[in-house]
């Protein structure tokens, strides 16, 4: 089995470059922000970070395909880099420090492309998380200064911390009643949003999280960090991996109960 460590080292180099670019424009008074056709914001920093990552990948891995949120798919083949230059753009443009660059490498496998490397870099928080298939998940300042991640061992919903992004998406999909029932059963709920709750699941500080509408670039990097930390990452349909257009992540022990509540129809 490939060890993917060279690819992981490259992903850290890409994240370093993106961090420098995004932090340079964070809280800039003249930051340019546009509205995309799906009515979500995109800043000049989103575009610049993705262009920077793409340029470095084209030089370092010219045979690999690249899929990014801002510029789509480029290239073909069994290896595909998946990029979200700024996950949490709404936070970024308002000066909230909870945003990150997500970089994943996916490889063709049975059942579709699967993530084999993931880096989640949140420079305004001073945090970074990463994983490579078969090598575990870590957090720290660098590859040489890192702490291995492990999900929690909480086995009862009444002891569990559940994180989510917002209520509106659950209501729009007719799943709000099940969602609210779950919030009443758990010990604690917090709406951290975006990449962060998945990283806290991997760290063991949160036990459950879910979102009802996501794209592949939102999930590819977070999925492998959660699973390499010993957790479960599926769609709401229970399909493993980042392919369902929505996500549920947990320490594994509570996953069936999580899906049971979130699949109740109003």
């Amino acid at each position: 089995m490939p060890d993917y460590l060279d690819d992981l080292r490259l992903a850290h180099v890409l994240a370093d470059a993106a961090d420098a670019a995004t932090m340079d424009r964070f809280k800039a008074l003249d930051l340019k922000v546009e509205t995309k056709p799906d009515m979500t914001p995109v800043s000049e920093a989103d575009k610049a970070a993705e262009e920077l990552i793409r340029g470095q990948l084209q030089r370092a891995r010219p045979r690999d395909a690249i899929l990014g949120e801002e510029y789509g798919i480029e290239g073909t083949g069994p290896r595909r880099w998946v990029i979200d230059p700024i996950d949490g753009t709404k936070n970024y443009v308002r000066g909230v420090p909870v945003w990150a660059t997500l970089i994943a490498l996916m490889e063709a496998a049975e059942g579709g492309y699967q993530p084999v490397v993931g880096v989640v870099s949140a420079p305004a928080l001073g945090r970074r998380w990463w994983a490579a298939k078969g090598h575990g998940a870590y957090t720290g300042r660098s590859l040489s200064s890192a702490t291995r991640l492990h999900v929690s061992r909480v086995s009862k919903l009444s002891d569990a911390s559940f994180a989510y992004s917002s209520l509106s998406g659950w209501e729009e999909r007719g799943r709000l009643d099940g969602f609210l029932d779950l919030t009443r059963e758990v010990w604690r709920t917090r709406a951290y949003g975006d990449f962060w709750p998945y990283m806290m699941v991997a760290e063991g500080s949160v036990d459950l999280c879910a979102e009802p509408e996501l794209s592949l670039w939102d999930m590819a990097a977070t999925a492998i960090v959660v699973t390499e930390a010993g957790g479960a990452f599926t769609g709401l349909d229970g399909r493993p991996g980042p392919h369902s257009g929505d996500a549920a992540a947990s320490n594994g022990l509570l996953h069936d109960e999580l899906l049971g509540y979130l699949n109740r129809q109003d």
Side-chain angles (χ1 to χ4, degrees):
M1 186 180 77
D3 68 13
Y4 302 110
L5 293 181
D6 283 344
D7 295 308
L8 178 60
R9 283 188 281 269
L10 173 59
H12 274 274
V13 171
L14 299 173
D16 289 343
D19 286 355
T22 52
M23 285 300 292
D24 184 60
R25 299 299 291 152
F26 185 48
K27 296 187 179 181
L29 297 178
D30 60 345
L31 181 73
K32 295 182 175 64
V33 182
E34 302 170 7
T35 300
K36 295 192 286 190
D38 64 0
M39 302 308 293
T40 60
V42 58
S43 75
E44 62 181 86
D46 292 79
K47 294 180 177 180
E50 184 167 326
E51 288 170 352
L52 188 65
I53 294 169
R54 282 176 177 270
Q56 292 198 21
L57 280 173
Q58 286 161 356
R59 291 188 292 273
R61 296 289 189 274
R63 296 181 179 179
D64 293 351
I66 306 170
L67 171 65
E69 179 176 11
E70 307 308 334
Y71 295 105
I73 184 74
E74 181 179 358
T76 59
R79 289 164 46 99
R80 178 182 297 172
W81 293 85
V82 181
I83 305 158
D84 189 343
I86 299 179
D87 182 52
T89 298
K90 291 177 182 177
N91 282 346
Y92 184 88
V93 302
R94 288 296 303 270
V96 178
V98 184
W99 49 270
T101 295
L102 312 183
I103 300 169
L105 173 63
M106 303 185 75
E107 280 198 342
E110 187 176 346
Y113 284 83
Q114 298 299 328
V116 295
V117 167
V119 171
V120 176
S121 192
L125 294 176
R127 297 294 310 275
R128 184 177 291 185
W129 304 261
W130 63 88
K133 185 177 179 180
H135 290 278
Y138 295 83
T139 185
R141 294 286 183 178
S142 66
L143 282 167
S144 60
S145 176
T147 302
R148 188 156 186 171
L149 300 177
H150 298 281
V151 296
S152 76
R153 302 301 297 169
V154 172
S155 59
K156 295 180 181 179
L157 282 180
S158 58
D159 296 329
S161 180
F162 171 50
Y164 61 96
S165 286
S166 67
L167 297 179
S168 58
W170 301 103
E171 186 171 29
E172 290 166 4
R173 285 155 188 79
R175 299 174 185 261
L176 184 59
D177 286 350
F179 173 90
L180 292 175
D181 286 343
L182 176 60
T183 67
R184 297 181 185 107
E185 290 296 319
V186 298
W187 166 66
R188 190 172 191 249
T189 61
R190 284 293 183 273
Y192 298 108
D194 300 306
F195 69 94
W196 207 9
Y198 301 97
M199 298 302 94
M200 287 191 280
V201 168
E203 291 180 341
S205 53
V206 165
D207 311 298
L208 311 161
C209 68
E211 289 181 272
E213 184 179 15
L214 292 168
S215 298
L216 179 60
W217 45 76
D218 298 312
M219 298 183 280
T222 59
I224 188 167
V225 174
V226 169
T227 55
E228 284 291 322
F233 190 107
T234 72
L236 298 178
D237 57 5
R239 180 185 177 190
H243 297 288
S244 299
D246 45 44
S250 76
N251 63 5
L253 300 175
L254 299 168
H255 206 76
D256 289 344
E257 290 179 274
L258 172 64
L259 294 178
Y261 276 96
L262 297 180
N263 280 308
R264 292 181 185 177
Q265 297 297 310
D266 297 356

